[in-house]
Amino acid sequence: MTGTGNSGQQWRPDVLGHNYECMDLPLNDDDEGPVKATLVRHAPALEDTAPHGILDFLTTFVKRRHRTPHETDGAPKVVLYLHGWADYFLQTELAEYLTASGFLFYAVDLRKFGRSLLPGQTPGYASDLSVYDEDLAVALREIERDVAARTNNHVPPTIHVIAHSLGGLIAALWADRNPGTVGTLVLNSPWLELQGSSLVRSIAMHLVEPFARTDPKRPFRFPEMPAYWESVSNEAHGEWMLDPVWRPRASFPIRAGWTKAVLAGHAAVERKLNIDAPVLVLLSGRTRIQAEWTADLMRADAVIDVEETSRRALGLARRTAVFRYPGALHDVFLSRRTVRQQAYRDVAVWLAAYPY
């Protein structure tokens, strides 16, 4: 299905292989020069949309409800996936499950992350999380054009956003600033508060502020915390092949300006948001943060405080649900098979309850 979008950009084969394509989305230049985001789509041929192959775990429920995107009534249903910090889109099982459940699936690698990281750029750097509004606006415009071309349906699609970790914070703030844009928001272990408490965050903000003002790209030196990477990577104890540049073992350097932007986002969440769409938050059953890997980290969130996140989640929107998954990793969709299968099913059922 490779071809040119109405934006003039070209779809090309993606690194994820069969049925995955990507497209560059040029953005306004910044102080480091040209900037882009990257849109990824799961675009199987019509005969490939039925469950098979790696989707042999799909339940009878999904098979019974299966409809291809060409069979939608009214507005097409679209999922847009947003990755986390020092991360990129790689969750192919999720994409294929939701495609089999009747959704058109897209993902975006934000500026300076993953497929969008250009030579000479500071990986992951932003001094204000609202800068990603441009990435998402451009992505949504291209998705609307692509969906119309693929389905021959010119009704604007309903957008269901699924966002992970830092992407969850970015998506929540964006949805709050842009009412009416999304049908639902699913937050997979969103980073809604600094590990510890709002008091720790307040102290951290006072310490970071002078550096963010005078030397915003100054990297802070912290001990390496590779244990979560080891739980995910198939080079260690996990199942997933990770690109060493896009998702490095030691993560990206933490910089002053970026830290200030994240802490400001956490402060906004503490003041409560008013997202007008239904929100579903997925969390592990417990937190365990430590530098050295142990087998216990295969059954816990090694990045965020899930209890504090659960409390913060209830202040995001009037309609908020929190689902807990005992034994889940920080990325619930990269957890062991039985856990992630349950999460796939729950998300598909939950999205089906909100067809508008």
Side-chain angles (χ1 to χ4, degrees):
M1 289 185 66
T2 56
T4 302
N6 290 351
S7 63
Q9 298 303 308
Q10 182 74 33
W11 288 106
R12 63 182 185 276
D14 186 65
V15 296
L16 294 176
H18 183 59
N19 289 336
Y20 290 92
E21 297 173 327
C22 63
M23 172 188 288
D24 291 341
L25 302 176
L27 305 173
N28 292 323
D29 292 1
D30 68 5
D31 63 334
E32 295 183 330
V35 181
K36 70 169 184 174
T38 308
L39 187 64
V40 182
R41 68 180 180 183
H42 179 232
L46 185 59
E47 62 271 16
D48 291 339
T49 56
H52 66 86
I54 69 166
L55 295 178
D56 58 2
F57 57 82
L58 291 182
T59 61
T60 302
F61 169 79
V62 169
K63 292 179 180 178
R64 185 172 64 246
R65 295 177 63 90
H66 171 64
R67 303 169 72 193
T68 74
H70 297 273
E71 296 171 337
T72 54
D73 299 321
K77 301 181 298 179
V78 169
V79 166
L80 176 60
Y81 178 90
L82 189 59
H83 59 81
W85 169 247
D87 201 0
Y88 65 101
F89 170 64
L90 58 89
Q91 287 76 0
T92 54
E93 280 190 2
L94 173 68
E96 290 157 30
Y97 191 101
L98 292 178
T99 298
S101 300
F103 296 89
L104 292 142
F105 189 96
Y106 296 82
V108 62
D109 279 9
L110 297 170
R111 64 181 70 201
K112 305 186 183 182
F113 288 99
R115 299 162 179 84
S116 304
L117 182 60
L118 298 173
Q121 289 185 331
T122 306
Y125 184 79
S127 60
D128 187 330
L129 298 185
S130 67
V131 73
Y132 299 115
D133 285 20
E134 182 188 6
D135 306 49
L136 293 169
V138 173
L140 289 177
R141 285 198 297 270
E142 188 56 52
I143 287 170
E144 186 167 339
R145 285 192 287 261
D146 192 56
V147 168
R150 292 170 65 185
T151 65
N152 198 29
N153 183 346
H154 295 275
V155 176
T158 299
I159 305 294
H160 302 278
V161 173
I162 300 179
H164 172 56
S165 195
L166 175 65
L169 176 63
I170 291 169
L173 297 171
W174 168 76
D176 182 60
R177 288 191 299 268
N178 295 275
T181 304
V182 299
T184 65
L185 185 62
V186 178
L187 303 179
N188 170 15
S189 303
W191 191 21
L192 302 181
E193 181 58 277
L194 192 67
Q195 293 86 335
S197 68
S198 58
L199 176 60
V200 173
R201 170 169 40 82
S202 179
I203 295 170
M205 181 63 96
H206 286 296
L207 294 174
V208 165
E209 173 66 34
F211 299 109
R213 186 172 58 253
T214 60
D215 190 8
K217 292 183 182 177
R218 172 193 178 113
F220 295 130
R221 298 191 180 278
F222 295 111
E224 289 190 7
M225 300 281 287
Y228 175 55
W229 180 92
E230 294 181 24
S231 297
V232 173
S233 173
N234 65 356
E235 295 182 14
H237 307 283
E239 299 179 45
W240 309 94
M241 183 181 299
L242 306 180
D243 186 284
V245 175
W246 298 349
R247 192 163 181 176
R249 183 177 187 276
S251 191
F252 295 157
I254 303 299
R255 301 177 188 275
W258 176 86
T259 303
K260 180 181 177 182
V262 170
L263 296 178
H266 292 162
V269 170
E270 183 185 24
R271 293 192 296 270
K272 297 189 185 316
L273 305 182
N274 189 29
I275 299 171
D276 62 349
V279 177
L280 173 63
V281 176
L282 314 178
L283 294 170
S284 178
R286 62 191 178 94
T287 293
R288 180 156 184 171
I289 300 175
Q290 60 190 52
E292 298 299 321
W293 188 88
T294 63
D296 194 45
L297 291 179
M298 298 299 294
R299 304 178 63 86
D301 190 315
V303 179
I304 65 170
D305 181 336
V306 295
E307 300 302 332
E308 183 64 26
T309 302
S310 180
R311 289 188 287 270
R312 285 280 185 263
L314 297 180
L316 296 177
R318 179 175 63 83
R319 292 170 292 174
T320 301
V322 177
F323 288 9
R324 302 291 291 269
Y325 295 89
L329 297 174
H330 176 54
D331 188 334
V332 176
F333 299 132
L334 298 184
S335 303
R336 70 184 188 278
R337 182 172 292 273
T338 55
V339 174
R340 65 182 188 257
Q341 284 177 14
Q342 183 61 62
Y344 298 156
R345 289 192 291 268
D346 287 347
V347 168
V349 171
W350 195 83
L351 293 180
Y354 293 97
Y356 50 86

